[in-house]
Amino acid sequence: MNARTAGAGALLCATALVAAAVSTALADGDAARGEKRFEECAACHSVERGSNGIGPSLHGVFGRKAGAIPEFRYSPALRRSGITWTRESLDSYIADPQKAVPANRMPYAGMLGAADRADLIAYLERATK
Amino acid sequence: MATKLREVDVVVVGLGWTGGILGKELAEAGLKVIALERGGMRTSDKDYALPGIRDELRYVIRHDLMQNTARDTLTIRNNPSQEALPMRRLGSFLPGEGVGGSGVHWSGHTWRWTDMEFKVRSLYEERYGKNFIPADMTIRDWGITYAELEPYYDKFEYTAGVSGRAGNLRGEIKPGGNPFEAPRQREYPLPPLTTLLAGEMFAAAARESGYHPFPRPSANTSRAYTNPDGARFGACQYCGYCQRFGCEANAKGSPHMTVIPFALRNSNFELRTHSWVTKVIKDSDGKRVTGVAYTNVLNGEEFEQPAGLVLLCAYAINNVHLMLLSQIGKPYDPVTETGVIGRNYCYQTGTGATLFFEGRHFNPFMSAGGSITTIDDFNINWEFDRAPHGFVGGYNVSAGFNSALPIGYRPVPAGTPQWGKAWKAATARWYQAAMTIGASGSVMANRYNYYDLDPTYRNAFGQPLMRMTFDYKENEHRMGRHAAQLINNLASSMNPTKLNPAVARTQPWTVVPYQSTHNTGGTVMGSNPREAAVNKYLQSWDCHNLFVIGANVFPHNASYNPTGPVGALAYWTADAIKNRYLRNPGPLVQA
């Protein structure tokens, strides 16, 4: 149990480091391009308030705790992740969802390009308010 | 006593691909449309989301998305001298039920059937002579051409989000596509799916033998996609749970996430679920229908729904059953070869080999519905001379994986015990190291393969069950032998550690195990009302305001999956109704 806790701590540190490293790239995101990137998400996610599909609504996602919409059935992994959605945490989650939150249920392999993710996040910042 | 409801313009029976397409198109054209679906409502977020959808026991073994044989089924026999018995559990084929129908649990394989099918009799007679076609093989031209259907294939492919690579773009043969396909006006909407290792190895062996491998066109979106109506698709995740499942990522083109939501948003369209149509009602003069009778299966209440137009859009088998129950069109009699309803029932045939490669890792659990590499050299390749082999039709050959699931997919070399320690050891050793090569073959219509009403058995509504009389004939046996030999030659050239060879099937068809949900014919299309139930617009020859849409109109069955032409014909019929029938209601073709 101790070893597991220690491992989780190390993972969090690593995530924080990665997030710090990419935060400058995030600042350059282009929301118009990001809207196009959102096509990869739109089959399951809406930015409208209360509009849950296969995935939960992304309205108001920034600053929200992961797994917080009461009427959506999240995976236990996401509910227990302790994540609060910020540019940085969204960036690492979208880059490789299974690495960021193992055993989460989002059927998506990840968006590889850091610039694409920055564009997407810039769009989400605008569209989810 | 049935409650008579207010008349509407159109009643659609069954809400899958064809009902969804026609319902949407006709509601948008301003008609009041009611869709009656015998199953329940189903949506991606409520019914197909993770984790519940990845349940092989529920969906594959227990047929959760399929029709319930306790309520209605068929009786089955191989030939008219036998007594048919009811199929009490689904097996050989798996018709779907509920909103979306079989378009939810299909794999997505979307082919364009060509003039090789539509002109089958004239092409074979021209090249091989009239005597090449056996006397009891009741194949005939369909009365439609590829050129007529091309824009509608295109429309369906773009609606369903088909991934593929053109092999013939406006007459120009393109590398990497299927060189035998008929010319298409534009590319597929999406690039092909990723080729699996098994497909790569098969493609290399096929090329070595001079054949032409290509990625199978399939409505599994290779990347995120928005179709022309605005329906949004995610990218296929190669999750391995495709065939018999709804898609967890909205990445499989299905009516419940494309055409049906757009129909439902239109105030001209109304859906009634759990509504089981028992009969199409004929007018007293027999030249028109006036609506349908249906039962609410939740409470047994009976209704009559009058309508100006009736569209039968149920599963192919159920459409034929409804025609027989409603006594529209003369039932087919194989002795006198007269009548039309029930004739030319066809199925498909196939064979396959399993190849074991010590040390290879195929990752069979990681696949899309259509991540399959295929050759058509013995299918729609007219250069392939059938004369020395003595069969009509063709077969496609393929390798790859589609839903190789933990309960059902346990490849072991022939001779392995079927249970116990040795079986477990072989499963562990070979699971990752096995691949298959399979052939899917056409079945030509035969005088003695048909449907009629069973004289003995009845369904939950007290109506006669439909009786299916079917067996493979010598034509299919000959093709099977050719396919098995071809597969075994290819497989041997790949030097597997062990090989379970393909064997041509010559045993009578049985209703177990699963073979293919590609049942065709029964109300076939054609230009002669004495041989066909519907004309080229799928309009009943008997009642001009009745259209019967689905694979039930195919006069014979090709080696290909049927959904491509089923979808194209639905759009074709929608156009015929909108642009011609509504302006001048009556027969669209004069007999």
Side-chain angles (χ1 to χ4, degrees):
Chain A
M1 191 62 197
N2 278 341
R4 199 175 146 198
T5 314
L11 181 68
L12 280 179
C13 286
T15 311
L17 284 175
V18 172
V22 296
S23 61
T24 47
L26 293 183
D28 299 324
D30 178 326
R33 281 203 301 265
E35 187 169 7
K36 181 68 188 157
R37 296 270 77 76
F38 187 67
E39 191 181 26
E40 290 194 35
C41 322
C44 302
H45 290 286
S46 163
V47 294
E48 305 297 319
R49 183 198 296 271
S51 177
N52 296 323
I54 288 184
S57 165
L58 298 177
H59 181 83
V61 66
F62 289 92
R64 190 164 72 206
K65 297 208 75 154
I69 295 179
E71 47 294 8
F72 190 80
R73 188 184 173 192
Y74 292 92
S75 60
L78 201 74
R79 275 192 276 113
R80 290 176 199 147
S81 66
I83 290 175
T84 297
W85 295 120
T86 61
R87 285 177 166 200
E88 289 73 22
S89 60
L90 272 173
D91 183 69
S92 59
Y93 185 62
I94 294 164
D96 189 342
Q98 283 304 325
K99 189 175 168 195
V101 184
N104 88 78
R105 289 183 198 137
M106 182 166 75
Y108 180 64
M111 189 177 286
L112 297 180
D116 288 341
R117 295 196 301 276
D119 292 342
L120 174 64
I121 289 166
Y123 166 72
L124 288 175
E125 284 187 306
R126 194 184 72 191
T128 62
K129 279 190 183 127
Chain B
M1 182 66 194
T3 306
K4 191 164 178 175
L5 302 167
R6 204 158 57 166
E7 176 161 349
V8 293
D9 296 326
V10 183
V11 65
V12 169
V13 180
L15 196 61
W17 265 128
T18 62
I21 289 170
L22 279 142
K24 171 183 174 291
E25 294 289 314
L26 297 182
E28 285 173 2
L31 301 180
K32 292 281 180 200
V33 181
I34 296 247
L36 301 173
E37 164 56 45
R38 69 191 221 175
M41 185 62 188
R42 288 206 180 97
T43 59
S44 293
D45 53 322
K46 292 198 174 55
D47 300 284
Y48 311 132
L50 285 169
I53 192 62
R54 292 199 195 169
D55 188 338
E56 184 183 2
L57 185 64
R58 176 175 171 184
Y59 292 102
V60 179
I61 312 294
R62 295 180 180 156
H63 302 148
D64 194 78
L65 299 178
M66 315 307 176
Q67 296 182 2
N68 177 0
T69 53
R71 199 171 262 160
D72 190 29
T73 185
L74 297 102
T75 65
I76 307 279
R77 61 182 180 175
N78 285 128
N79 62 63
S81 69
Q82 295 175 333
E83 184 189 345
L85 293 172
M87 171 179 70
R88 297 189 187 272
R89 189 173 194 281
L90 293 174
S92 185
F93 45 85
L94 302 170
E97 188 166 290
V99 169
S102 303
V104 171
H105 69 80
W106 73 316
S107 298
H109 306 175
T110 307
W111 299 102
R112 291 182 172 202
W113 296 29
T114 71
D115 284 337
M116 277 190 62
E117 315 302 337
F118 304 151
K119 298 179 181 172
V120 63
R121 180 167 279 278
S122 39
L123 283 173
Y124 276 87
E125 283 187 355
E126 184 188 328
R127 176 161 179 186
Y128 297 109
K130 278 187 168 25
N131 291 337
F132 190 73
I133 300 174
D136 62 354
M137 187 185 283
T138 51
I139 54 171
R140 112 172 67 74
D141 293 0
W142 294 32
I144 195 168
T145 65
Y146 175 80
E148 286 175 302
L149 265 194
E150 203 280 338
Y152 300 94
Y153 278 129
D154 179 278
K155 189 162 174 68
F156 182 67
E157 288 166 358
Y158 274 71
T159 298
V162 178
S163 301
R165 183 179 287 133
N168 183 338
L169 204 52
R170 295 183 289 276
E172 188 189 336
I173 303 301
K174 309 295 281 186
N178 179 1
F180 306 112
E181 74 170 353
R184 55 175 56 248
Q185 286 303 304
R186 57 172 172 168
E187 255 294 359
Y188 287 99
L190 290 155
L193 294 159
T194 301
T195 304
L196 309 183
L197 173 62
E200 285 177 1
M201 290 169 60
F202 168 76
R207 264 187 224 105
E208 191 69 24
S209 297
Y211 309 137
H212 302 82
F214 62 91
R216 176 169 296 216
S218 195
N220 318 120
T221 38
S222 55
R223 60 185 186 214
Y225 174 66
T226 305
N227 84 3
D229 295 321
R232 288 166 154 172
F233 294 66
C236 175
Q237 302 294 309
Y238 300 84
C239 75
Y241 286 75
C242 198
Q243 181 176 210
R244 312 206 190 151
F245 301 89
C247 182
E248 66 194 40
N250 273 337
K252 173 163 64 175
S254 298
H256 75 279
M257 47 76 68
T258 55
V259 286
I260 292 170
F262 290 95
L264 286 169
R265 250 172 257 171
N266 191 316
S267 60
N268 287 332
F269 182 89
E270 183 190 335
L271 165 63
R272 293 185 200 140
T273 55
H274 304 290
S275 300
W276 185 296
V277 174
T278 49
K279 194 179 175 184
V280 182
I281 302 163
K282 266 194 300 192
D283 205 354
S284 51
D285 69 358
K287 290 191 165 53
R288 282 174 44 89
V289 295
T290 59
V292 299
Y294 75 95
T295 302
N296 177 336
V297 293
L298 299 180
N299 61 11
E301 213 177 337
E302 293 177 5
F303 297 94
E304 182 185 333
Q305 176 62 64
L309 267 173
V310 175
L311 311 179
L312 298 188
C313 297
Y315 187 71
I317 294 172
N318 305 108
N319 280 344
V320 182
H321 194 203
L322 267 176
M323 291 292 275
L324 287 168
L325 292 173
S326 310
Q327 300 179 327
I328 298 170
K330 191 177 172 206
Y332 173 67
D333 174 6
V335 177
T336 57
E337 281 198 84
T338 56
V340 288
I341 310 299
R343 76 186 293 158
N344 283 27
Y345 169 68
C346 289
Y347 198 44
Q348 282 174 332
T349 184
T351 180
T354 308
L355 295 71
F356 302 87
F357 293 89
E358 190 87 67
R360 285 283 194 179
H361 286 77
F362 287 104
N363 292 338
F365 49 84
M366 205 162 64
S367 64
S371 49
I372 290 167
T373 302
T374 304
I375 59 170
D376 260 349
D377 296 75
F378 304 94
N379 188 23
I380 57 166
N381 174 17
W382 194 231
E383 296 302 308
F384 164 52
D385 186 3
R386 274 80 169 167
H389 315 294
F391 64 82
V392 174
Y395 60 91
N396 68 72
V397 185
S398 62
F401 294 100
N402 168 12
S403 310
L405 297 166
I407 300 172
Y409 182 71
R410 297 298 176 111
V412 289
T416 302
Q418 293 191 342
W419 57 281
K421 207 170 176 181
W423 176 80
K424 287 180 187 169
T427 291
R429 181 175 174 196
W430 295 111
Y431 173 77
Q432 272 285 3
M435 62 169 276
T436 57
I437 301 178
S440 166
S442 60
V443 167
M444 293 300 120
N446 185 279
R447 176 179 175 178
Y448 298 107
N449 289 336
Y450 67 103
Y451 298 110
D452 61 359
L453 292 177
D454 191 273
T456 309
Y457 295 96
R458 289 173 182 266
N459 67 14
F461 303 89
Q463 298 179 297
L465 296 187
M466 187 135 89
R467 178 166 65 179
M468 173 187 283
T469 305
F470 177 76
D471 207 353
Y472 298 113
K473 307 300 180 191
E474 181 57 25
N475 188 68
E476 284 75 52
H477 296 159
R478 287 179 184 171
M479 181 192 301
R481 285 193 282 272
H482 192 273
Q485 190 181 5
L486 183 278
I487 288 172
N488 292 335
N489 289 346
L490 268 177
S492 301
S493 78
M494 294 164 72
N495 294 312
T497 316
K498 287 175 185 287
L499 173 67
N500 293 352
V503 180
R505 66 172 305 158
T506 48
Q507 295 297 309
W509 173 72
T510 74
V511 82
V512 284
Y514 180 75
Q515 286 151 77
S516 127
T517 309
H518 302 157
N519 314 82
T520 64
T523 61
V524 305
M525 62 194 291
S527 50
N528 182 347
R530 285 188 307 282
E531 293 181 334
V534 297
N535 64 28
K536 68 191 283 189
Y537 301 105
L538 317 195
Q539 179 185 37
S540 163
W541 277 116
D542 292 275
C543 301
H544 65 76
N545 62 339
L546 172 67
F547 292 75
V548 191
I549 301 104
N552 41 277
V553 305
F554 297 1
H556 73 275
N557 207 343
S559 85
Y560 280 160
N561 310 56
T563 311
V566 167
L569 284 167
Y571 278 118
W572 159 263
T573 296
D575 263 11
I577 293 172
K578 282 190 294 187
N579 301 333
R580 300 189 48 202
Y581 185 82
L582 293 179
R583 281 179 202 158
N584 188 14
L588 294 171
V589 179
Q590 291 306 323

